Structure formats: C-alpha cells, structure tokens
Amino acid sequence: MTALASRETAVPASAPSRPSWHRPTLAALLVGTAVLYLWGLGASGWANAFYSAAAQAGSQSWKALFFGSSDAANAITVDKTPAALWVMGLSARLFGVNAWSILVPQALMGVGSVWLLYATVRRSSGPAAGLVAGLVLALTPAAALMFRFNNPDALLVLLLVAGAYCVVRACEKASPRWLALAGVAVGFAFLAKMLQAFLVLPAFALAYAVAAPVSLGKRLLHLFGALVSVSVAAGWYLVVVALWPAASRPYIGGSQTNSLWELAFGYNGFGRITGDEVGSVGGGAGRGWGSTGLTRLFGSEMAGGIAWLLPAALLALGAGLWFTRRAPRTDTSRAALLLWGGWLLVTALVFSYMGGIIHPYYTVALAPAVAALVGTAAVQLWRLRAHPAASGFLSGGVALTALTSYLLLGSSWLAPAVLVGGLLAAVALFFAPHLTRTAASFVAALSLVVLLLGTGAYTLATAATTHSGAIPSAGPSSGFGRFGGRGGGPGSLLSTTMPGASLTALLQQDASHYTWTAATVLSNAAAGYQLASGAPVMAVGGFNGTDPYPTLAQFQQYVASGQIHYFLGEGMTMRGSSGSDAAQQIAEWVADHYQASTVDGVTVYNLTATV
C-alpha cells in the first residue's frame, strides 16, 4: 500500500499535468477571489488610519515614504519596517489619497497569494490539489479580513507564499538560484513585519535539506547561500537607517533609543515572545494579551479567523507523512508536506505561547499552510480511497471539520446543517470505493461543500462587515455564531476619530506656514487629524504615547521657532507601564502655559498665541 501511495501521489516535477479544465477553473477562482476581496471595499474608509496616514505622508514626501513616517514633515515613523507602506504610498501617489488607493493593493495581494499558492501546490500535488488549496485560502476568514484591510499582513503573506513557491522549485532540481530567491522573498517579508517573517525559515530549510537531489554537502552549502540572501534582503534597510544621520531622518517609532535594530529585535521581535516590550500597553510578560497554551488558537479571540480547518490540516499532515514514509528521500510530495507542515507547526506554536502583544488577525499567517495541507490531502487521499486507511483519513477529516464548524457556529442556524451534512458525507466517504463513479463524484462534491461551508459563510460575513481601528477581527459585527467582528480598542490608542468640519477648517487654515499644523499625543489621534486636514500632524510619543520623542526640550524648541500651530487634546488617554513619559510632560507643559479652547468637542491650544 505504501509503494502504491508513493506512485499515486508523485507528480512529475518538470512537467506537472494540466488537464483542459484547469485553466478556466483557475480563472474562475481568481475572478471570484477578486470579487470577494474588492466588493464594497471602500465601505471601511481609512480602515487602519494609522497606516493610511503614513501612506498619505509617503504620497507627499519621498523621505516619509522611505522611512515610513507618520507625517510628511518626518517627525516620527510608524512602529514597523515600511515595506507595506511603500506599496500604499506609491498607490496614493498615483491615484490620490483615498480609501480605494490604500485598500485595493491589499486585495490584489490576496488574489496574488491565492494564485501563488495554487501554483506551488500544483507542482507537488497536481492542479486539482492546487485549486482546492487556493479556494481554501480565499475562503479563510482571517485572509478575507487582512486582504481587505491595510495592515502589513497582506504583503507578509504574499511574500511568504512566494518564498514557498521558490523552495518547491529549488527542491525539484537542487537549484541554489531558486533557493536564494526564496531567501530574498523572506528577507523582504521581514521589511513588512520583521521577525514574524522568519518563522517559516525552519520549514523551508528542512524541506530542502531532506529532499534536494544533491549531496548533503551541497545541500548545506545551498542553504548557507540562501541564509546570506535572507540577510542581505532584510538587512540592507537596517544598515541604511543605522548609518543615516539621526538628525536628518524621523525618529524610529516604537523604540526607546531611536534605533530600528531595537525595534526589529526588541519591541517587535523577541519582546513579542517574552512579553518584555518596553513601552507596550500590555504591561509586561503574560499580562494583557490572553492566556497562552495549545488551545489559544481555538479560543474566542482566535478561532473565528483560522480554526475552521485547522484540525483537518493537522490530520492531513499526519496522513501525508504516513503514506510517504517509505518514499525516496527526494520525493517532492513529502518535501511539500515538510514545508507546509513545518510552517504550520512552528507558527502555530509561537502564536500559542508568545507572551507579548498578539492580535487575532496574526493568524492569517497560518492560512496558506492550512490551505495547502487540506488541498493536498483532499485530492491525494481521494485518489487512494480504495485503501481503508486513506478512506478513513478522508472520512475523519470531513467529520472533524463538520464538528469544528458546528462548535464555532454556535447558535447559528447553519450549525446543525453543517454537522448533519458533514457526518453523512463522512460516512459516505468511507464507503466511496464501493460506489459507482457518479455516486462517488457526488460524495466528493458534497464533502468539499461541507469542508468549506462554515469557513465560507464566516468569510462572506467578514467581507460584508466594515472594519476599522488597529485590531480588526474576522466575522460580522454581531449575530452570527459564537464570534463577532471587532475593531478598534480603548480610547484613541487603538481607534481613530475623524474631526468635525470646524476643527478641520481650523487645521487647514495657514497650514502651509507651519512644519506641523498641530501636535497631539498618540499616533491614532494624530492620524485622524492629518487625514482630515491633509497637513502634517506630529504624533507625540508615537503609537503608545511612550516613545521619548519629542522630549519636552525639543518640543519647546519647535514651539519657540514657530513650527507647530496647535496642540490638540488633554494629553494621554492610555499609556503603557514602561517607556518614556515625555508625552505626558509635554501635555502638562502645554496646559500650564497656553489657553485652552474647545472646537468640535476637542480641546485646542494655539501655540502661537501668547498668554
């Protein structure tokens, strides 16, 4: 049985079969994905205004675009490396600053990710498996959320899937060129979301080290070359920023020492694992970001976005490794299992146990691996259904998915239909080898529908719901299953309020005479004022209000030289338990030395008026 499984699952690496139906089916998948991700996209407005304001700044200033500044006057950057902002900023330069120019690139990245995943899975498991994998990715709620939003995760996923494609190509003929290209893709993914991009590296290295058809010495040499390509693609930007004179660039937001290295490897790096993130609002390790453990991905915060097919993917990984256990070392099917399985396990374990900042939408990084494993197993086990073990795995996967969907859907009317249909399909799958071809095809189609019904319904609900703020969640706003989509957060730290017409007019008045038309504490508050007025607004203290920029002395100098027109707000509405208190000092100094007025409900201090 094992030998037969190896023969059945093998697909010629050099020329995978492409039946006549695959092109129109692929076209339908990509068009459907585009419609799903683009339809009504503008309803979310600025989505995450924090990044939209930075894209606006990048459309006005090339320096702001390069550094990822929050404002065109280059006071402070966002708390991420800026690759995703490069895409949005360039789009805004070409098509103007609006919701569509910001969000359409994310949707197109989603379509590209589905296409690349199809192409990757097809090379190892055939076009049918690739199509199922692409469909599963498109109908993953976390994917629909992030590919209709402007966080960096859309670009991260696209580049990581591109890296996986390059690894599969490299494994086929032991190609150091393709492996180096995989390193370049991961390196640029680092510039989108820093160390999270590196979670796939163990899986990529394992797949190539095991399966590349060349000696062990050459495999290790090729892997070293790929590591160099990762380092160059990721590190060039860090080196440029480190060498750039600090006085002529914006302050690095999210760091306490004006250092991109600190940001990448501290606050946004190992601090996310340990929870020791200076300046974080979470308050230190293990506090504020939910309980850790193996069940975290199935908890109320994470499950709605990714858990629908997660158990089936784990079962698929086990089944695939079992059926390829005696295959040759260079077997491409097993190499793909190691790649996708390693991606899933490493990322899932890190997400499950990280003690620092973590949000539900991070789970989109699991979606390509889940989709690839499900697509591969569904097709290959169906081909082997004559064997009791294969039909048993198939039946178990469908039943497990039906049960998972039932639990996630909760009181929804769809829950019992998914459960009953899934259990019936699971029983029929077990006896599929004894059915006629027509009956077996019907059972296969029913099983696929059951697999995708729960996650598909939740994905459609996600796409139909507007999302805004810093922490969007998959699903509708209310009334569907156990989980509802949530966005924003406490105060102005995680959400943005757009100013009224009178305040907007005030900020626009004589704005060209000042470096910053206004300053305010917290980046999200600044983003709303800046997007409405179109003029630079200084985000005092950065995203959390805990960055030591500007210092009180620097702010006083800016005011004395007439560079800031207004100060807005009473100060900080929320801050972390660590980091700088410079923003609070500035807010208190302004309140002590300038007369307050109220415009559209916002406290306004005119910093050019003497008291």
Side-chain angles (χ1 to χ4, degrees):
M1 181 174 68
T2 303
L4 178 58
S6 298
R7 291 197 301 271
E8 288 281 352
T9 57
V11 176
S14 58
S17 60
R18 299 187 186 186
S20 59
W21 50 261
H22 99 280
R23 289 188 184 277
T25 308
L26 174 61
L29 171 63
L30 297 180
V31 170
T33 302
V35 171
L36 175 64
Y37 292 167
L38 288 166
W39 189 268
L41 191 59
S44 289
W46 296 117
N48 190 335
F50 174 58
Y51 293 119
S52 293
Q56 177 199 51
S59 72
Q60 298 171 348
S61 162
W62 287 109
K63 179 182 282 190
L65 181 69
F66 181 76
F67 287 107
S69 299
S70 292
D71 63 278
N74 292 290
I76 191 170
T77 71
V78 301
D79 58 352
K80 299 288 188 299
T81 38
L85 294 175
W86 293 342
V87 178
M88 288 185 279
L90 290 173
S91 177
R93 276 182 175 267
L94 290 173
F95 304 107
V97 181
N98 54 71
W100 284 92
S101 69
I102 299 292
L103 295 177
V104 166
Q106 321 306 318
L108 297 181
M109 289 177 199
V111 177
S113 298
V114 169
W115 174 70
L116 274 174
L117 185 66
Y118 157 80
T120 307
V121 174
R122 180 188 65 80
R123 295 197 71 86
S124 61
S125 302
L131 289 167
V132 173
L135 182 60
V136 170
L137 176 59
L139 294 180
T140 299
L145 176 69
M146 283 293 98
F147 291 132
R148 293 176 57 89
F149 207 71
N150 61 324
N151 281 15
D153 301 74
L155 181 60
L156 172 74
V157 170
L158 175 65
L159 290 171
L160 294 185
V161 176
Y165 175 82
C166 294
V167 171
V168 169
R169 293 294 300 266
C171 287
E172 293 170 359
K173 295 183 178 179
S175 170
R177 180 173 64 91
W178 278 107
L179 195 63
L181 287 175
V184 171
V186 174
F188 273 93
F190 171 89
L191 297 182
K193 213 174 178 193
M194 289 174 281
L195 288 189
Q196 185 182 335
F198 292 168
L199 295 179
V200 301
L201 288 179
F204 286 8
L206 177 63
Y208 190 83
V210 169
V214 73
S215 67
L216 177 61
K218 288 187 176 180
R219 276 177 272 158
L220 295 177
L221 182 62
H222 294 172
L223 286 169
F224 177 76
L227 180 61
V228 171
S229 70
V230 171
S231 302
V232 172
W236 71 270
Y237 184 78
L238 274 70
V239 172
V240 169
V241 173
L243 295 177
W244 199 292
S248 67
R249 62 161 172 78
Y251 185 91
I252 304 301
S255 75
Q256 296 295 306
T257 60
N258 198 12
S259 167
L260 189 58
W261 292 84
E262 179 204 331
L263 176 68
F265 296 98
Y267 176 77
N268 276 332
F270 296 108
R272 297 291 174 113
I273 305 296
T274 65
D276 296 324
E277 301 165 286
V278 178
S280 168
V281 298
R287 299 194 299 273
W289 305 109
S291 59
T292 61
L294 290 175
T295 61
R296 183 185 234 179
L297 296 178
F298 297 94
S300 60
E301 291 296 319
M302 304 284 186
I306 195 64
W308 306 87
L309 290 166
L310 187 54
L314 295 172
L315 184 66
L317 175 60
L321 292 176
W322 171 262
F323 279 112
T324 59
R325 68 191 186 280
R326 294 180 183 174
R329 177 183 65 80
T330 57
D331 181 68
T332 56
S333 295
R334 183 173 56 201
L337 289 168
L338 294 175
L339 187 156
W340 298 115
W343 176 332
L344 175 62
L345 292 176
V346 172
T347 306
L349 286 173
V350 170
F351 285 176
S352 296
Y353 285 98
M354 59 190 288
I357 297 173
I358 184 170
H359 302 306
Y361 66 81
Y362 287 12
T363 57
V364 69
L366 298 168
V370 169
L373 289 169
V374 170
T376 297
V379 173
Q380 302 297 5
L381 290 175
W382 176 254
R383 293 172 181 169
L384 296 170
R385 63 188 180 277
H387 299 287
S391 61
F393 277 123
L394 272 175
S395 178
V398 171
L400 193 57
T401 300
L403 180 60
T404 303
S405 297
Y406 174 78
L407 294 174
L408 293 178
L409 290 169
S411 59
S412 168
W413 63 268
L414 193 59
V418 170
L419 181 62
V420 173
L423 295 179
L424 290 175
V427 173
L429 274 176
F430 190 77
F431 294 101
H434 307 290
L435 301 176
T436 64
R437 179 181 294 272
T438 301
S441 298
F442 174 78
V443 169
L446 174 63
S447 300
L448 184 60
V449 169
V450 169
L451 277 173
L452 299 177
L453 191 56
T455 184
Y458 211 74
T459 295
L460 291 175
T462 298
T465 301
T466 59
H467 295 90
S468 62
I471 311 178
S473 292
S477 57
S478 62
F480 186 96
R482 294 179 58 192
F483 313 117
R486 296 168 298 278
S492 60
L493 176 68
L494 300 176
S495 60
T496 302
T497 301
M498 303 304 291
S502 297
L503 181 55
T504 299
L506 184 68
L507 295 175
Q508 292 172 334
Q509 182 179 352
D510 297 327
S512 62
H513 297 167
Y514 301 90
T515 306
W516 296 276
T517 190
T520 190
V521 177
L522 301 173
S523 293
N524 269 308
Y529 301 131
Q530 180 171 296
L531 288 168
S533 67
V537 175
M538 178 186 289
V540 176
F543 187 83
N544 293 323
T546 56
D547 296 345
Y549 181 85
T551 64
L552 177 57
Q554 287 174 318
F555 189 83
Q556 290 171 335
Q557 182 178 0
Y558 291 142
V559 172
S561 59
Q563 295 187 67
I564 308 175
H565 197 174
Y566 300 106
F567 187 88
L568 306 176
E570 297 288 351
M572 300 172 64
T573 58
M574 182 176 178
R575 68 181 302 272
S577 60
S578 60
S580 172
D581 63 350
Q584 191 66 39
Q585 295 177 24
I586 290 169
E588 292 172 354
W589 176 79
V590 169
D592 289 341
H593 290 82
Y594 292 89
Q595 184 69 41
S597 62
T598 302
V599 181
D600 290 337
V602 176
T603 302
V604 178
Y605 299 91
N606 187 343
L607 301 183
T608 64
T610 57
V611 178

